[in-house]
Every structure is written in C-alpha cells, then in structure tokens.
Amino acid sequence: MIHGIKGVKDILPDEIRRWQAIEAAARRAASLYGFHEIRIPIFEVTELFARSIGASTDIVEKEMYTFQDRDGTSLTLRPEATAGAVRAYIEHGLGSVAGAQKLYYLGPMFRHERPQAGRLRQFHQFGVESFGSPSPYADVEVMSLLWRFLNGLGLTELTFEVNSLGDATDRPAYKAVLVEFLKTREDRLCGNCRRRMQTNPLRVLDCKVPECRAATEEAPRLTDHLSPSAREHFARVTEGLSMLGVPFVLNPRLVRGLDYYTLTTFEVTGGRLGAQNAVGAGGRYDGLVKALGGSETPAVGFAVGLERVALLLPEAGLPPAEPLICVAAFGSAGIPVGVRVLDDLRRAGLRADADLRAASSLKAQLRHADRLGALLVAIIGDDEVAKGFVLLRDMRSKAQEEVPFSEVVARVSARLHSPAE
Ligand code: ATP
Ligand code: MG
C-alpha cells in the first residue's frame, strides 16, 4: 500500500471537532475585529518568497518546497502567507478598496522540516494582516486579537512576549554594535551562528543552542538602540496592551526570522508544548509592501500555528456536538418509511442518521445509534407502520413513547432541544 508523506498528516474524523472549533473561533475573532477573509493560492513564484522572507532565513535557506513548472518557472509551495497576501494586496489594488485593508487567512503551509510533535511539513496557520496604518494602536489591535482568540479557546499558561526591532534606520546601527559584541564571543557560538553573524546577526539572539544563549546573555539590547520615534511607538504599544489588560513580558532577545519585520515584534509561547513552544508570532513589517513593488504601506500582522493550538486546546473548550437522532427501521414496510422519516427530520434542520448497511437487527441498530452518541432513536418496524406511529426511544433513560407519524418531527425537535425532559 501507499503511505502518506512523512510530516504530512491526515486529520481524521475524531479530531475534526477540535479543528472546526479552532477554525470557527478564528473566523469569529477576526470578523469581530473587522478583518475580512482572503484566500490566496498555496503556490506562488519562488521569487516572491525569496524576496519577501529574506535569503538568509531558515525558510528560504532550507525549508521551501520548490519545483519547476513545465515552462521552467520556479514555483514554491507557500511556507507562510504574508508574502502571498501582500502580493494580492498590491496586485488587486486593495489599498483603495473600501474595507479591504484588514485581511485574515486560514490554511495549509509547507516547510521541509524535521517532523516531530507540533512540527510538520504541511501545517496550518490562521493569520491576519492589517495594512495602511502606522499607528501603534494597529499593533495593539492585532496583538489583542491574537490574545483574545487564544484565550477564548480556553488556552491558558501562555506567555506573550514583545520586543521592538526599531525602524529601518535603527537596524543597521544596532547590527553593527551587535556584530562587534558577537566577535568577542565568536569562539563560544555554534557553527550556524558563526555563519549567521555575517549574514543575519539578529538571528544569533534567537538561537536555541544553550551555549549560544549563554554567550549572548550580555549582548547589547535592541531596545537600548531605538530612535526616539521607534521608542515612542513601542511605549504606545505596551501602554495600549496594559490598558486592554493583555498581559505581556518584554523579551529583548525576541527577533523574527523574517527580514521584513520592523518595530513591534511579538510571540506567544505555551509552556506545555516542550521544544516547539511557539504558538504564534507576528509584528510590524512596514517595509514589505514597498519592497514587493507596492506603494509605501505600513503593515502589521501575525500567524498562529493551528497544530500547536490543537495540542493545547482543552476538551472543555470544545462546543458540544449537535444532538443526534437515529432512525432504526426494519422490515419491508418499515425501511422505506424510515427513509422518509429520516428525510423529514433532516429537512426540519435536525441532525439525523441511520444505519444503512445491510438490513440489521433492531438490537444492532440500537448499538450503532449508541456508538454515534444519539440521544433519541425512532424505531420503525412493520408493526409501527401498521399502527401509524413510531416508537421514540430515549437512549439514556431507555423510556419509549409512541408518537404518531405526523407529530414525529415536532416531538423530536422539542426533545432534542430540551433533552433533560
Ligand atoms: P519555529 O521557531 O517553531 O520554527 P517559526 O519562527 O518558524 O517557528 P513562524 O514562521 O513565525 O514560525 O510561524 C508562525 C507559527 O506557525 C509558529 O509560531 C508555529 O506555531 C507555527 N509553525 C511554524 N512552523 C511550523 C511547522 N513546521 N509545523 C507546525 N507549526 C509550525
Ligand atoms: Mg521555523
């Protein structure tokens, strides 16, 4: 037999309630905050990612699924969706379309990584992008949306870390100071960091290797090298978060792997996730729209990893399944009537099911209904058809009542929606 690809998972029916709850919460939260859904393709020309994410990042260096189209064009499965959202924003002139500046997306992303719990090759993200506002309150808006979304799902023990990367003019100056510092500790850094020191020194601060962390403990802090305007922006953001009661901690080491981030950067981590503890992350990326050929457009956004949200989601955070009635029909007269009753129930908006496998005994059908979690079973045999009623069985109390065919839908509806009766 043929197996699925390593790190690419099926989401099976028994997990789907969890996923649907997460997706519904994401859509609801985004919509409450005035964001509109955008659906962008899962593949784009490779150049889009190379230019936006930055050549010396893990994603572009080693994680992209890239292939040649038949005409030789290099294409890539999207490793994240900001690049595609920005491309679409520019291409469709969304900057001048009323209400199209705040976008959200949900969908699969692809990265060639070493698969483990919470790290897959096809994974899913919910993300938002807010275009056009340089206001620190736009940062506060997306940050509070992220926090409230996770909280609303009942996720606790989360840490919200924030930092400022400074604006485009602060970065080069800070990088120079940082590189000077790193040179004094070069022998204590891992090979990867020694290379990153040249290509993307900020990322050294982000290295997970304990020796590198220790060596950079005393590194100069980005937040001590902010221009007055960047400092002001950051102060408004942190004040805004405090005002809204979003708890956060300052993490001067927090840098993003992607080159286009400016000013505010943030990450939410979940203690119970172990090594893959980042649940979601984001920040401001004021330079990206212009870099991709659009007009100067400030922007801020985040992306959350839904596999990690699913791992943290408590069972109690899931909405209860809609109540179910099963129809158990048997006999040459009973079965067709059962099929009609089933259709009546469904057309009335009730969740109804039946065991349509080869005619099985009443006992087997009741067992099947029980496994499906049915609250009620409508029993319809030849006898019931002759007498003109169905036998409505309460699966918990086992009590049965006779209900005339014409009253079945109304009776079931009343019973399912006040099951304590
Ligand atoms: P990490 O440090 O875990 O590699 P990242 O910085 O690469 O994360 P981002 O690009 O910021 O992650 O993506 C945002 C979120 O998407 C992450 O916080 C995480 O929850 C999720 N994510 C990223 N890569 C994967 C993956 N391979 N499998 C599952 N979820 C992922
Ligand atoms: Mg990564």
Side-chain angles (χ1 to χ4, degrees):
M1 68 155 288
I2 298 170
H3 291 268
I5 301 164
K6 196 172 154 205
V8 178
K9 284 221 280 197
D10 300 304
I11 300 176
L12 300 175
D14 71 333
E15 300 160 83
I16 216 71
R17 207 156 64 89
R18 187 162 281 267
W19 280 85
Q20 289 176 343
I22 294 169
E23 288 160 2
R27 292 181 189 286
R28 173 96 184 121
S31 160
L32 284 177
Y33 282 70
F35 286 79
H36 303 276
E37 184 176 5
I38 183 167
R39 298 194 186 184
I40 48 175
I42 62 162
F43 63 132
E44 302 265 3
V45 295
T46 304
E47 193 197 346
L48 174 69
F49 302 113
R51 261 173 59 191
S52 63
I53 297 171
S56 56
T57 54
D58 283 352
I59 293 181
V60 174
E61 274 180 351
K62 52 188 188 209
E63 294 175 357
M64 295 203 305
Y65 280 99
T66 296
F67 57 97
Q68 271 199 358
D69 205 351
R70 288 171 195 224
D71 66 359
T73 315
S74 181
L75 302 179
T76 294
L77 297 184
R78 64 181 188 192
E80 51 98 62
T82 299
V86 170
R87 178 202 46 73
Y89 180 85
I90 299 169
E91 194 168 335
H92 305 291
L94 298 185
S96 52
V97 176
Q101 287 79 51
K102 285 165 53 175
L103 306 174
Y104 82 88
Y105 59 83
L106 275 162
M109 308 295 156
F110 306 85
R111 297 185 194 177
H112 188 95
E113 305 208 63
R114 203 162 57 79
Q116 48 200 291
R119 187 173 296 284
L120 296 168
R121 291 183 174 172
Q122 174 172 339
F123 62 100
H124 299 80
Q125 286 183 338
F126 158 50
V128 311
E129 317 291 354
S130 170
F131 293 105
S133 173
S135 166
Y137 298 113
D139 308 35
V140 173
E141 180 175 65
V142 303
M143 293 163 94
S144 56
L145 163 52
L146 171 58
W147 187 252
R148 307 265 196 252
F149 159 65
L150 296 170
N151 262 284
L153 283 169
L155 270 61
T156 51
E157 296 171 56
L158 299 176
T159 307
F160 200 146
E161 297 178 318
V162 306
N163 192 23
S164 173
L165 298 176
D167 54 34
T169 53
D170 302 339
R171 292 274 279 279
Y174 172 72
K175 271 189 188 171
V177 177
L178 178 64
V179 171
E180 275 318 301
F181 170 87
L182 293 175
K183 277 188 187 148
T184 66
R185 314 283 160 112
E186 190 165 356
D187 52 331
R188 292 168 58 190
L189 300 178
C190 71
N192 210 352
C193 280
R194 259 179 257 160
R195 190 175 49 81
R196 283 200 286 230
M197 236 176 86
Q198 313 299 328
T199 56
N200 194 346
L202 253 57
R203 293 273 329 277
V204 176
L205 297 176
D206 200 27
C207 184
K208 306 277 188 306
V209 177
E211 289 72 34
C212 293
R213 295 200 79 90
T216 55
E217 204 55 64
E218 320 257 83
R221 296 180 161 201
L222 247 163
T223 37
D224 294 332
H225 291 79
L226 299 182
S227 63
S229 66
R231 192 183 305 277
E232 170 75 13
H233 186 95
F234 194 46
R236 292 289 89 77
V237 170
T238 52
E239 280 166 22
L241 292 174
S242 301
M243 180 177 78
L244 301 186
V246 176
F248 63 90
V249 292
L250 298 177
N251 176 1
R253 302 177 69 105
L254 184 66
V255 299
R256 304 293 307 139
L258 313 186
D259 277 354
Y260 51 71
Y261 283 94
T262 54
L263 297 170
T264 316
T265 176
F266 53 90
E267 184 162 86
V268 175
T269 53
R272 289 202 288 116
L273 285 173
Q276 316 313 324
N277 70 349
V279 180
R284 207 163 244 295
Y285 51 97
D286 288 346
L288 184 61
V289 179
K290 181 123 192 255
L292 290 180
S295 55
E296 188 92 44
T297 308
V300 53
F302 69 71
V304 212
L306 299 186
E307 276 73 10
R308 298 184 193 175
V309 173
L311 283 171
L312 291 173
L313 185 67
E315 190 65 29
L318 298 178
E322 219 186 304
L324 174 72
I325 168 153
C326 277
V327 172
F330 48 93
S332 57
I335 291 176
V337 173
V339 168
R340 213 189 62 223
V341 169
L342 192 58
D343 188 54
D344 289 343
L345 292 165
R346 289 167 173 168
R347 287 200 302 162
L350 299 168
R351 194 172 152 243
D353 205 358
D355 185 359
L356 294 179
R357 293 172 299 185
S360 50
S361 67
L362 175 60
K363 203 169 147 214
Q365 294 196 50
L366 288 176
R367 206 180 319 118
H368 181 74
D370 198 42
R371 272 198 225 109
L372 294 180
L375 295 181
L376 294 174
V377 176
I379 299 171
I380 307 170
D382 294 350
D383 280 0
E384 282 71 25
V385 174
K387 290 189 226 156
F389 60 73
V390 308
L391 214 57
L392 199 57
R393 179 182 174 92
D394 185 306
M395 292 301 278
R396 282 165 307 182
S397 69
K398 314 273 188 283
Q400 301 192 154
E401 63 167 326
E402 296 179 349
V403 180
F405 278 110
S406 60
E407 290 166 30
V408 170
V409 169
R411 188 81 192 116
V412 169
S413 175
R415 293 277 301 268
L416 285 184
H417 295 107
S418 56
E421 203 189 326

